[in-house]
Amino acid sequence: MAEQVKPKIDPSWYKALQKEFESTYFQELKHFLQQEKAAGKTIYPAGSEIFNAFNLCPLPQVKCVILGQDPYHGPNQAHGLCFSVRKGIKPPPSLVNIYKEINAGLGLPIPTHGELTGWARQGVLMLNAVLTVEASKPASHQNRGWENFTDSAIKAVSEQQERVVFMLWGRFARSKKQLIDAEKHLILEAAHPSPFSAHSGFFGCKHFALCNQYLAKNSREPIDWRL
């Protein structure tokens, strides 16, 4: 049998998720992605950036988890962090609404770019439930196994860390509540920041201020939400 190639993911996450990498479903997912690439399909994000959220935010450093559903499917957008796009790319509408809520809740200026790497480096796990997508085909890699993998990542944070803030926006993210120990962590729920739903409870949720209040109360460094 060929030697298993170790994934390019932070060692703390590899240790926590090793069983997932060795599972049958993950081997099938890996084979699916290889087949898609062999067929000439463009997959986002680039292979080296699939685990960006984990590499920028090692497990022991996680203070806050923001959950998304699917990577952006347009060129030069997705780079492994939910809601984030590369500098030089116009911030998508949901991210603009996130910025508006931060501005309203904390008085911080609205950034001119959409790259959220600065948050990730401070301990914000920017996690999509599905980590890849085919170009121009939203949700094309759902139900291929990624959800099992990222559910295990959420459980790992819940079980191995203390006093983490989970921001669950929209019905899909809120369905992950059952994976989180509410006795150990703060769970914040609101509508999705999409223009279709932001006015139904995302605007005015004050999640970013509440996050920092909770972290400070528990002797953890608050997040600087400026970019």
Side-chain angles (χ1 to χ4, degrees):
M1 183 180 291
E3 185 179 350
Q4 183 77 18
V5 178
K6 194 171 181 179
K8 295 178 181 178
I9 191 170
D10 180 85
S12 65
W13 282 110
Y14 181 75
K15 182 179 179 181
L17 300 172
Q18 186 172 356
K19 289 182 180 178
E20 307 306 313
F21 285 117
E22 295 172 352
S23 69
T24 299
Y25 85 80
F26 197 88
Q27 298 310 310
E28 292 173 350
L29 170 60
K30 187 176 177 180
H31 181 64
F32 163 72
L33 292 172
Q34 290 169 340
Q35 284 186 316
E36 294 291 279
K37 288 187 178 181
K41 296 180 180 179
T42 300
I43 307 298
Y44 297 132
S48 62
E49 295 180 322
I50 290 174
F51 297 119
N52 226 5
F54 303 96
N55 289 328
L56 289 168
C57 185
L59 180 54
Q61 297 178 17
V62 177
K63 299 178 186 176
C64 174
V65 178
I66 296 178
L67 293 179
Q69 188 165 357
D70 220 42
Y72 296 121
H73 54 87
N76 300 315
Q77 289 185 306
H79 64 112
L81 304 179
C82 70
F83 295 106
S84 179
V85 292
R86 300 177 187 280
K87 287 184 178 179
I89 303 297
K90 183 179 178 181
S94 291
L95 181 54
V96 171
N97 286 339
I98 290 170
Y99 287 165
K100 287 179 180 178
E101 176 58 27
I102 292 173
N103 172 258
L106 293 172
L108 299 178
I110 292 177
T112 57
H113 65 85
E115 187 180 306
L116 306 181
T117 301
W119 293 357
R121 293 191 190 281
Q122 294 183 71
V124 183
L125 182 65
M126 311 290 299
L127 184 65
N128 276 316
V130 177
L131 300 186
T132 58
V133 69
E134 183 181 345
S136 304
K137 293 189 176 180
S140 51
H141 289 184
Q142 288 184 6
N143 302 314
R144 290 286 181 174
W146 278 128
E147 294 91 343
N148 293 343
F149 181 82
T150 53
D151 279 0
S152 292
I154 295 168
K155 287 180 187 175
V157 174
S158 178
E159 292 169 4
Q160 298 185 32
Q161 297 304 107
E162 301 285 341
R163 308 305 176 201
V164 173
V165 180
F166 290 82
M167 297 185 185
L168 309 182
W169 302 331
R171 185 173 60 185
F172 179 82
R174 293 168 83 168
S175 73
K176 305 297 183 180
K177 185 177 179 179
Q178 61 185 343
L179 304 173
I180 306 162
D181 184 346
E183 297 296 318
K184 288 173 63 179
H185 308 288
L186 176 63
I187 301 173
L188 300 175
E189 301 179 65
H192 194 277
S194 160
F196 299 105
S197 55
H199 289 280
S200 301
F202 178 77
F203 288 138
C205 70
K206 296 182 168 51
H207 279 190
F208 302 93
L210 291 171
C211 172
N212 279 354
Q213 289 171 15
Y214 179 82
L215 292 175
K217 180 182 176 182
N218 287 283
S219 302
R220 306 197 74 184
E221 187 72 25
I223 307 297
D224 184 350
W225 296 106
R226 294 172 296 182
L227 290 170

